[in-house]
Structures are given as structure tokens and as C-alpha cells.
């Protein structure tokens, strides 16, 4: 369900960015993207929260989300000109932390005999791939924009490549989950 909300949120924020270009003649309002970053982190925090039964892991998720929320506010109050890179770098770092913690959880608990048949394994792998790629892009974004003089087509192409691969792997996880549900429903009949 959380991933469904994430998909709806992604489409809604993309449409809002397009609307900002059409109605405000501006190439994407940063406020829309910045709000998307915060909501994305919160949705993935909820995803990981419900993907585990570990009380310790859940506490770490809640505390780290609160710390990120504080970081998010501080960045806008004191580092507004660098907010784009800072909040995305923080989000990417935290997402990688979540994903690594979840891999550890999977290895210790091993809910499946074969992790490759677990949809959450594939979703977590997609998160590692996407956020490690955007981590580097977020880290060097201000430098890239300065060097490329706002010709960020290559920057966006890399980000879109990571997003496309992320969506493919998450779709594969959805297909695995569907197969597992069909298998369970056949057994119950």
C-alpha cells in the first residue's frame, strides 16, 4: 500500500512540476521538489516500519525520521541557497542507512529460504540502487550546475536512468508478490 501511495505521490508531484512550468513559466518550482523529498522519506520510513517486526529497528526509523525532519527545517532556515543538495543528500544517506539496516534484518531473520523470492528483498535492492546513484548526484549537484552553467540535461538523464531502473525492479517485486498471492490462494481452495 505504501508503495502505491509513493507511486501516486510521484505522479502528483511530477504533474505539479509540469503545471509550474506551464502556469508560472518557471522550470520547476523547487518548493514542489523539496516537499516531494520530505514526503518520499516519510513514505519509505513507513514502508520499512511495517516491513519488520523488530522493535529496535522501528525505534531507529522513528528517531532518524525525526532527526531528518529537524535537519530539513534547519537547512531551510540557515542554508537556503544550498537546500536542494543538502536535503536530497540527507534523504539519500538516510535511505541507504534504512536499506542496509533492512538487509541486515533479512540476513539475521531470514523470513524466506530463498531471499530472491521475497518482494521486499527486491524493493530494498531497488532502493539501494536508486538512492546510491542519486546520493552521488545530490552530493555534487551544486558543483555540476556551476560547471555546466545550468545545462543539467545530463544530470537529469542520470537521475531518470536511476528512477527507471528503480521502477523496473519494484515492478518485478510486485510481480513476485502477485505470484506468491496466487500461489497462496490456490492452496487455500
Amino acid at each position: 500500500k505504501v508503495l502505491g501511495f509513493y507511486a501516486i505521490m510521484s505522479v502528483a508531484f511530477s504533474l505539479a512540476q509540469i503545471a509550474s512550468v506551464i502556469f508560472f513559466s518557471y522550470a520547476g518550482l523547487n518548493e514542489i521538489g523539496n516537499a516531494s523529498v520530505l514526503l518520499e522519506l516519510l513514505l519509505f520510513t513507513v514502508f520499512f516500519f511495517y516491513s519488520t517486526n523488530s522493535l529496535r529497528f522501528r525505534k531507529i526509523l522513528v528517531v532518524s525520521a525525526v532527526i531528518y525532519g529537524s535537519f530539513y527545517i534547519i537547512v531551510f532556515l540557515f542554508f537556503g541557497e544550498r537546500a536542494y543538495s543538502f536535503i536530497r543528500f540527507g534523504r539519500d544517506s538516510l535511505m541507504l542507512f534504512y536499506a542496509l539496516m533492512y538487509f541486515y534484518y533479512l540476513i539475521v531473520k531470514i523470513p524466506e529460504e530463498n531471499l530472491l523470492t521475497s518482494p521486499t528483498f527486491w524493493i530494498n535492492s531497488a532502493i539501494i540502487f536508486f538512492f546510491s546513484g542519486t546520493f552521488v548526484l545530490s552530493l555534487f549537484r551544486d558543483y555540476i550546475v556551476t560547471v555546466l552553467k545550468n545545462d543539467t540535461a545530463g544530470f537529469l538523464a542520470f537521475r531518470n536512468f536511476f528512477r527507471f531502473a528503480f521502477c523496473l525492479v519494484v515492478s518485478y517485486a510486485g510481480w513476485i508478490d502477485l505470484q506468491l498471492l496466487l500461489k497462496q490462494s490456490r492452496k487455500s481452495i
Side-chain angles (χ1 to χ4, degrees):
K1 290 179 185 178
V2 173
L3 291 177
F5 286 121
Y6 176 71
I8 291 168
M9 185 245 0
S10 295
V11 170
F13 277 102
S14 294
L15 291 174
Q17 288 283 34
I18 292 168
S20 74
V21 173
I22 294 170
F23 295 113
F24 301 109
S25 300
Y26 185 72
L29 293 174
N30 279 342
E31 292 79 8
I32 295 169
N34 294 341
S36 172
V37 167
L38 182 60
L39 187 56
E40 181 176 50
L41 180 97
L42 294 175
L43 283 172
F44 277 116
T45 301
V46 170
F47 169 77
F48 282 113
F49 187 87
Y50 287 110
S51 294
T52 178
N53 293 326
S54 169
L55 185 60
R56 182 174 177 220
F57 187 32
R58 287 181 170 186
K59 285 180 183 178
I60 291 170
L61 287 169
V62 171
V63 168
S64 61
V66 169
I67 290 170
Y68 180 78
S70 302
F71 168 77
Y72 188 90
I73 292 167
I74 289 168
V75 164
F76 282 104
L77 291 176
F78 301 108
F79 306 100
E81 68 283 348
R82 300 264 188 223
Y84 183 96
S85 291
F86 284 179
I87 65 169
R88 283 161 180 77
F89 175 74
R91 178 223 33 214
D92 297 344
S93 300
L94 195 52
M95 291 304 303
L96 290 171
F97 175 68
Y98 285 176
L100 291 174
M101 279 189 355
Y102 191 70
F103 270 135
Y104 176 77
Y105 171 78
L106 284 176
I107 290 169
V108 170
K109 298 296 180 183
I110 305 181
E112 308 271 336
E113 279 186 26
N114 181 1
L115 281 178
L116 297 178
T117 62
S118 172
T120 55
F121 169 81
W122 289 103
I123 293 167
N124 201 46
S125 298
I127 289 169
I128 288 274
F129 178 77
F130 177 70
F131 288 103
S132 62
T134 59
F135 173 85
V136 173
L137 292 177
S138 297
L139 185 62
F140 294 111
R141 192 254 182 200
D142 290 329
Y143 175 75
I144 291 168
V145 169
T146 303
V147 169
L148 298 177
K149 311 237 186 301
N150 284 332
D151 181 25
T152 57
F155 174 81
L156 294 175
F158 273 110
R159 189 180 184 293
N160 289 338
F161 166 74
F162 290 126
R163 176 69 69 184
F164 177 72
F166 171 82
C167 291
L168 279 177
V169 176
V170 169
S171 297
Y172 179 69
W175 182 79
I176 290 174
D177 193 41
L178 178 64
Q179 298 303 313
L180 291 172
L181 289 173
L182 291 173
K183 190 177 183 181
Q184 287 175 351
S185 69
R186 285 185 207 127
K187 285 182 180 179
S188 65
I189 293 177

